[in-house]
Amino acid sequence: MALYLRKRLDNKAEIAVWQITETEEELMNITSVPTDELEEIMLFRSESQRRQKLAVRALINEVFEEKMYLNHHDNGKPYLENCATNISITHTDNYVAIITHEEEEVGIDIESLERDFSAVEKKALSEDEIDDLEDNRSKKNEQLAIYWCAKEAIFKRMSQNRVNFAEQIEVEKFNLKKEGELEATFIHKDEYEEEFDLEYMMFDRHVLVWLVG
């Protein structure tokens, strides 16, 4: 078992992170996967993707006492068929993470800091956000990763199609730390603004960002 982190938040949400150390075969052996879901997982040609999906299922099995049936809405948003608990899911090659809450909508995203996030500056940041970037290359990449994860987490929370990350999601300036809080605004197409508080942490060259509500 490779449960890396399980944390109950003050707002009654729960975060769980699984480090993928197992082979595909090992994950199959420790994971109880409903037949329909397993058939979908096996359609992925990439072994890495199959391991990620199986690790998600292993993590869900770890968090919930009862057997859960995972499905997705047409827009890709995950939901539990036999449980009203809200869930958001994210994964990389080495880690998968979920956030759950019995009542509030949630969003979560994880990224590896080994990835080059320079493209995020042009395609996902506003002019104000670009002005707030660090000059130091390493710190700038970490900053861009947090911006991207925050916007992805909000995007998952909102479940809307065709969101312009640069124009519709604005993250306030923040001080780069190992963990911290973020403030952001989602601007609807009718110009109505919705404000969100997010949290983030960095571990093992990864960034994890989440929000509740």
Side-chain angles (χ1 to χ4, degrees), residues 27-78:
L27 284 167
M28 288 284 288
N29 289 334
I30 66 172
T31 305
S32 173
V33 186
T35 303
D36 291 349
E37 188 180 333
L38 182 59
E39 288 176 354
E40 291 183 9
I41 291 173
M42 291 301 106
L43 290 175
F44 287 94
R45 294 183 178 180
S46 165
E47 180 184 349
S48 176
Q49 287 181 305
R50 294 195 300 270
R51 288 174 67 230
Q52 290 173 40
K53 297 293 184 181
L54 289 167
V56 166
R57 168 47 66 177
L59 188 52
I60 290 174
N61 289 352
E62 180 75 17
V63 169
F64 292 92
E65 293 182 3
E66 298 180 7
K67 188 173 183 178
M68 291 293 125
Y69 292 86
L70 180 66
N71 209 330
H72 295 80
H73 294 290
D74 291 342
N75 62 5
K77 183 177 181 178

Side-chain angles (χ1 to χ4, degrees), residues 31-130:
T31 305
S32 173
V33 186
T35 303
D36 291 349
E37 188 180 333
L38 182 59
E39 288 176 354
E40 291 183 9
I41 291 173
M42 291 301 106
L43 290 175
F44 287 94
R45 294 183 178 180
S46 165
E47 180 184 349
S48 176
Q49 287 181 305
R50 294 195 300 270
R51 288 174 67 230
Q52 290 173 40
K53 297 293 184 181
L54 289 167
V56 166
R57 168 47 66 177
L59 188 52
I60 290 174
N61 289 352
E62 180 75 17
V63 169
F64 292 92
E65 293 182 3
E66 298 180 7
K67 188 173 183 178
M68 291 293 125
Y69 292 86
L70 180 66
N71 209 330
H72 295 80
H73 294 290
D74 291 342
N75 62 5
K77 183 177 181 178
Y79 69 94
L80 301 170
E81 290 185 358
N82 57 324
C83 181
T85 298
N86 293 306
I87 188 170
S88 184
I89 299 169
T90 184
H91 39 77
T92 66
D93 286 342
N94 298 315
Y95 289 93
V96 299
I98 64 172
I99 183 170
T100 58
H101 196 286
E102 292 185 0
E103 298 174 356
E104 300 287 352
E105 294 288 345
V106 290
I108 194 167
D109 196 62
I110 190 171
E111 293 286 353
S112 169
L113 288 171
E114 300 304 322
R115 172 183 165 187
D116 180 3
F117 287 91
S118 56
V120 171
E121 181 176 350
K122 294 182 179 179
K123 73 177 184 180
L125 266 57
S126 68
E127 291 184 4
D128 287 341
E129 290 168 335
I130 292 172

